[in-house]
Amino acid sequence: MKKILKIALPDAPIKPYFDYLLPEHLKANPLPGVRIIVPFGRQKKIGFLIEINHQSEIPAHKLKPIISIIDEKPIFKPSFMRLILWASQYYHYPLGEVIKNSLPKKIKSGEKIEQKYYIYQYVEKKNKSQLSKNQKALLAYLEKHPKGLDEAALQAIGFQKRTLSTLEQKGNLVKIEKKQKLKEPTLGNNPSPLTLNTEQKAALNAIQENKGFQTFLLDGITGSGKTEVYLQAIKPLIQEKKQVLILVPEINLTPQTIQRFQKRFPHKMAVFHSKCSEQEKLENWKEIYNGKALIIIGTRSALFAPLKKPGMIILDEEHDLSFKQQSSFRYSARDLAIVRGKIENIPVILGSATPSLESFQNVALKKFRHLQLNKRSNLKPLPRFYLINIKDKKLNAGISPILLEKIESHLKNNNQVLIFLNRRGFSPILLCHSCGWVAYCQNCDAKMVWHHNPKRLFCHYCGFNQKKPNECPSCQDLTLLSLGSGTERLEAVLSKHFSGFPVIRVDKDSTRLKGSMENILEKIKTGKGQILVGTQMLAKGHHFPNLTMVAILEGDSALYSANFKAGELMGQLITQVAGRAGREDKLGEVYIQTHQPNHPWLETLVQKGYRAFAQQLMKEREIIGFPPFTYLAAIRAEARELNKALGFLNQVRQDLSQFNLNGIKISTAIPAWMEKKANAYRAILLIRSKKRALLHQCLKKFTEKNYKNSQQLRWFLEVDPIEIL
Ligand code: ADP
Ligand code: ZN
Ligand code: ZN
């Protein structure tokens, strides 16, 4: 019977896989998970074998044979295959595209996965007489080097690769052993583990007593020593040569996390960061695939690391939105980490000082085990919070007079102060004083942001930038005012006001160059009286010993947002930034400027802390019927005209309502919060259900409709969106 190969193809999103024939002459028996070269139209494509069977919906005479098989060994283990099949179904995203997202470019383009360097070692001779002259010479040479030589060394003195491989094949005559050359492990100085406090010990015990799959929520306040728990939890696994996957939100921001793992374990690590070259990515991939890298640290996409012998998955700062991919394949690395843990039957640890509401809900439903660390590891108290009412107050670059006094007193005590403002650039508005004209982006519904370095207007949404006009384009008046503050203006104003104290700005602009973040962090660690001005880049994971005060300039910006997650994000951000203060001997203080000091969210957060705040939000979420109390999906459309986008979504709504799906709520199509972005008009349709299975039934109906995706109208489906604007 003819063998039919089901092959997933990247960049061919029409079908999950395509059927091909296995031609007789190949005499091969490929395993699922190998790469295969196939004809596709007039092109050749590299695809991935998913399954072999004997059936096809396409008549046999129309099926084309494959061209060749790249791998002997599958590049996907069966468990990995299950993961990507699951992801493709859950996110309703083409399998080929899911695969494309999960592999380094060089693997997709067909690069061999065997590692290049082998050591050839002469073992024993049986009968030399049938060997050629070259082969004899090679053998004699190997005999003289009993420790073995690698291919490159042999080639360097003139032996040909072909001689080597024929000799190798004549195993019945001679035996040469081909061993992989091991790279030297990077040796850390291997400091011994810290003595855990009672809470850490309890958490560690719970993790170590567990066998098989279980998700733990390690809910520990900032500085409570979560990382130490991770380090000790993975130790026995590493000793058994099992692999540990550690996912972090932004690797370049927290080089110290990597250093801590590196120092503790002298084993091979693979680190994925955004500045890795394609070659580095490939090397990492191979080291993981071959089971040599035991500790794998990376951001979101490292979730797809080809683990050979998985032992545990750790996801630090589980609440962080960067675990959600926001373009093309819109997956959540946190959710997929749990699925992967289940498939591999290994524990998954989610750590955070500010867990997401979804995770709290999973604890309530007993899906996750809750491990709490309520004390800072050095037993220092958490910082004290103060709200500053800025209603009617005169502000200087957004800073109230009281706040200036507080900053001054901390600086005078030789301490560091962090001023948090989540907006880069100099000023967010450029306004004509005479006619009220405002500089808008030509492609988006967004104001242009005035930057001083370089001196240009930038759109933060599409990247468009231009020179600042000399006069108002509308009335030709020469007075253009820059209103409001970004981090650049804060830096300038604070430098002037507190001359003598260095101001360090940390945002995407000041850290663009490779290594600049490391330099800045070093300066902050060793510095004393300094002002740090920064965006959320400064909120995450840093440990600054001399920082005693944190000021949040716009404490209520989230109170005006219509996104269902806005309150949660605000609480997380404030708590995380605040957690940078007073981590060592001196007590920390946190000041939050607000126009609404009596807002129930801020009050609870400040008086009772993040967990009470989260419980309060949870009740509100239940009332409004949003996740984690319902399951949510969004269909978004983008077109040259808003009506086209809305029209499409309304059509979808109508089509879906014909199925009479009880228990499904479909919203009307509405324009997105930023209606026009990068020259496209955007609209959104929300689908909600209390039952996950129902929601997915509905989404399946949607995908089965095969709506056209064209230049004029692009749509995409997002499961579990974190933004509904
Ligand atoms: P988290 O990850 O929860 O923010 P860290 O693991 O970074 O906390 O710990 C904060 C600091 O406390 C680090 O400097 C760490 O070395 C130290 N630390 C953690 N656990 C202990 C412990 N049991 N004894 C002493 N110091 C500890
Ligand atoms: Zn004007
Ligand atoms: Zn723009």
Side-chain angles (χ1 to χ4, degrees), residues 432-445:
C432 168
H433 195 43
S434 162
C435 77
W437 169 89
V438 171
Y440 268 89
C441 173
Q442 63 180 36
N443 310 321
C444 308
D445 285 335

Side-chain angles (χ1 to χ4, degrees), residues 431-437 471-480:
L431 172 89
C432 168
H433 195 43
S434 162
C435 77
W437 169 89
E471 48 174 47
C472 171
S474 168
C475 75
Q476 282 72 49
D477 194 276
L478 294 178
T479 322
L480 295 178

Side-chain angles (χ1 to χ4, degrees), residues 194-197 200 221-228 260 377 543 583:
L194 302 172
T195 312
L196 298 183
N197 64 33
Q200 287 174 314
I221 60 169
T222 52
S224 59
K226 294 184 287 295
T227 312
E228 187 61 33
R260 280 169 78 182
S377 59
H543 183 75
R583 287 172 74 100

Side-chain angles (χ1 to χ4, degrees), residues 327-434:
S327 60
S328 57
F329 174 32
R330 294 170 162 78
Y331 67 95
S332 154
R334 179 194 58 202
D335 299 349
L336 283 184
I338 297 165
V339 174
R340 189 163 194 189
K342 197 169 177 183
I343 292 174
E344 305 278 9
N345 197 26
I346 55 170
V348 178
I349 306 180
L350 308 180
S352 176
T354 53
S356 61
L357 297 195
E358 298 96 90
S359 290
F360 277 135
Q361 179 68 358
N362 280 324
V363 166
L365 297 174
K366 304 218 156 43
K367 289 187 186 160
F368 293 179
R369 276 188 66 183
H370 199 189
L371 307 172
Q372 282 177 284
L373 306 178
N374 297 308
K375 294 190 199 77
R376 279 191 163 173
S377 59
N378 54 9
L379 302 179
K380 298 292 172 222
L382 277 176
R384 263 206 214 120
F385 282 76
Y386 303 91
L387 292 175
I388 299 179
N389 185 355
I390 52 168
K391 233 182 323 188
D392 302 325
K393 296 282 182 331
K394 195 170 175 292
L395 303 177
N396 181 4
I399 307 176
S400 60
I402 314 175
L403 191 59
L404 282 175
E405 277 170 33
K406 299 291 177 195
I407 298 174
E408 180 157 9
S409 78
H410 278 260
L411 289 175
K412 282 206 168 135
N413 286 326
N414 233 354
N415 292 323
Q416 283 169 335
V417 174
L418 190 166
I419 319 280
F420 175 77
L421 179 67
N422 217 1
R423 187 187 305 121
R424 58 199 177 82
F426 190 80
S427 80
I429 302 170
L430 188 72
L431 172 89
C432 168
H433 195 43
S434 162

